[in-house]
Amino acid sequence: MIQSDVDLQPFNTMTIAARAKYFCAATSHDEMREALAFARKQQLPILPLGGGSNIVLTGDFPGLALHIGLLGHEFEPLDDGVRLRASAGENWHQLVMHSVALGYGGLENLALIPGNIGAAPIQNIGAYGVELKDTFEQLTAMEIATGNLVTFTAEACQFGYRDSLFKGDAKDRFLICEVVLKLPARWQPQVSYPALQQYFAEHQQGEQDLTPEQVAGAVIAIRNSKLPNPVEIPNAGSFFKNPVVGASQYAELKQKHPDLVAFAAGNDWKLAAGWLIDQAGWRGFARDGVGVHDRQALVLVNPGHRCGSQVVDLAQDIARDIQQKFGVVLEPEPRFYP
Ligand code: FAD
Ligand code: EPU
């Protein structure tokens, strides 16, 4: 069941060739526990793997890469909505499309996000004005140290923008096994995100007649128009988070750059990092097999299947340039291993 010296290139959408000292594809709780016991005995670090669409392998992984392939999902009708219970290895986009095909709304803005549902709570996936936390009810996770199952409520998960407990106090301590979402009985389309507004205006579709399936269709069309399909052009989605700055820094930047794209986030402002990188002239930049996507500057691409250090070098050059030009610090969004 446990293989040694395994190439992780097929397991990350950046297609970075790096090797794992050990690799295991687990499809049950028992297999996960056996793999954890093996790693514990040898004091190996664990790299939990879903679809590999939000990781950057900066070198070989000196521990156990554990692919979590638990499968199964069910929709349970309730008086006030529908509960969706799904095992960690279920593909996220397929779950979204299945739920909209059944007429259940709530997930449609998150269509076409790559990866599996098990990873969705790690960074509280979000797109087009909606985040996982908006429908999240609870999750069950296996504690790496003991193999015990623990349940976390939405509150316990401490969701934030691209953030959760699993990137903070519980980092590297749990394997998510099952996620439970609750979809509302009375659905309202969430189409205030500028790109969605523009799409429906262009297609002359009024908000009141929309179905979840139509919103999903719009999101898919918008995403396909600017985001590279990782199967064709290796990438890990947005490489940086959109930086959040205080009101005074925002006012100063806006005065210098009247076209600055930013969204209010409470008293603070979330800047469009893609706009900053684009303005700094990086969109479409290519260097030795790695580059910046030509239709979305926040996405770094790896068409040459280069190693992680080349991707990271480019990311560092961009971040340095943005800090010099705008005084803004960019933080990577994907997780780097080892
Ligand atoms: P992986 O890359 O396999 O893992 C991501 C992290 O979660 C790693 O640290 C991994 O160790 C950990 N992990 C994975 N599974 C588990 C588990 N079961 N238990 C514990 N830890 C686990 N993200 C967005 O939020 N919004 C977007 O719009 C979006 N668009 C994207 C577009 C493209 C083209 C790409 C390539 C990526 C995009 N992403 C987006 C990022 C990515 O799709 C999400 O972060 C997704 O949730 C990652 O899922 P995964 O299964 O591929 O996770
Ligand atoms: N922009 C540019 N040039 C670019 C890219 C963007 O000027 O090259 C401008 C756009 O014109 C737009 C604004 O920046 O006005 C925002 O762009 P977009 O709508 O594409 O969204 P984003 O802020 O770049 C975020 C998420 C995406 C998510 C989209 C849609 C982060 C880090 N990224 O991108 O998530 O799909 O919004 O909600 O928050 C991911 O996390 O991997 C990801 C793809």
Side-chain angles (χ1 to χ4, degrees):
M1 189 172 97
I2 291 167
Q3 300 162 258
S4 49
D5 191 28
V6 170
D7 181 10
L8 294 177
Q9 194 172 34
F11 298 98
N12 72 98
T13 62
M14 266 283 184
T15 67
I16 291 168
R19 306 193 80 80
K21 186 167 184 193
Y22 296 102
F23 175 88
C24 172
T27 56
S28 68
H29 288 172
D30 283 348
E31 286 178 2
M32 287 166 68
R33 286 198 182 96
E34 273 180 51
L36 290 182
F38 171 87
R40 212 174 292 130
K41 225 181 204 169
Q42 304 195 45
Q43 297 187 317
L44 299 169
I46 306 278
L47 160 51
L49 274 176
S53 64
N54 213 28
I55 56 171
V56 177
L57 299 169
T58 56
D60 291 341
F61 187 70
L64 172 70
L66 179 53
H67 183 265
I68 297 162
L70 303 172
L71 292 181
H73 72 271
E74 62 177 7
F75 291 93
E76 179 193 345
L78 307 167
D79 290 341
D80 60 344
V82 176
R83 183 169 282 136
L84 168 58
R85 194 180 283 282
S87 298
E90 290 279 316
N91 177 269
W92 173 259
H93 174 65
Q94 281 170 18
L95 286 173
V96 173
M97 295 318 282
H98 191 175
S99 84
V100 299
L102 292 169
Y104 302 141
L107 305 181
E108 56 285 342
N109 294 49
L110 304 176
L112 216 58
I113 297 181
N116 297 344
I117 193 169
I122 302 280
Q123 70 159 2
N124 177 32
I125 55 168
Y128 300 95
V130 171
E131 290 181 328
L132 181 81
K133 74 170 171 52
D134 301 331
T135 48
F136 182 91
E137 205 171 53
Q138 64 172 55
L139 64 79
T140 304
M142 184 178 286
E143 193 179 18
I144 288 177
T146 61
N148 294 338
L149 292 178
V150 186
T151 296
F152 293 87
T153 61
E155 200 191 351
C157 289
Q158 298 173 17
F159 291 123
Y161 164 62
R162 297 293 188 274
D163 200 21
S164 77
L165 176 76
F166 304 99
K167 288 178 116 182
D169 288 349
K171 189 176 172 188
D172 294 331
R173 287 181 46 206
F174 291 94
L175 303 175
I176 294 172
C177 297
E178 184 188 70
V179 177
V180 182
L181 306 178
K182 188 165 163 204
L183 312 180
R186 297 246 299 267
W187 173 78
Q188 288 278 342
Q190 304 292 326
V191 291
S192 57
Y193 195 86
L196 277 173
Q197 292 264 311
Q198 197 188 333
Y199 180 92
F200 288 118
E202 277 168 17
H203 289 75
Q204 295 173 348
Q205 248 171 318
E207 236 179 80
Q208 59 287 355
D209 309 322
L210 290 172
T211 64
E213 211 159 15
Q214 284 170 323
V215 177
V219 167
I220 290 169
I222 295 165
R223 294 182 70 102
N224 280 335
S225 73
K226 56 181 160 189
L227 290 170
N229 177 349
V231 176
E232 289 155 14
I233 306 174
N235 75 91
S238 300
F239 203 90
F240 301 100
K241 290 190 216 170
N242 283 329
V244 178
V245 300
S248 63
Q249 192 179 0
Y250 166 74
E252 211 174 290
L253 280 166
K254 187 76 182 167
Q255 201 181 17
K256 277 196 210 148
H257 311 278
D259 298 337
L260 177 75
V261 180
F263 299 88
N267 294 329
D268 296 327
W269 289 83
K270 195 194 277 178
L271 310 179
W275 185 88
L276 298 173
I277 298 169
D278 190 353
Q279 289 297 305
W282 289 96
R283 183 154 59 85
F285 176 85
R287 172 172 90 193
D288 192 23
V290 295
V292 181
H293 190 50
D294 56 1
R295 280 178 282 146
Q296 226 298 359
L298 196 47
V299 178
L300 301 195
V301 293
N302 186 20
H305 314 288
R306 299 302 159 151
C307 63
S309 61
Q310 273 161 302
V311 176
V312 172
D313 280 353
L314 174 60
Q316 283 172 347
D317 287 352
I318 293 172
R320 210 173 293 123
D321 191 38
I322 298 303
Q323 179 146 30
Q324 271 167 11
K325 290 194 167 117
F326 299 98
V328 172
V329 176
L330 293 183
E331 243 184 82
E333 195 219 69
R335 174 95 188 259
F336 293 5
Y337 290 94

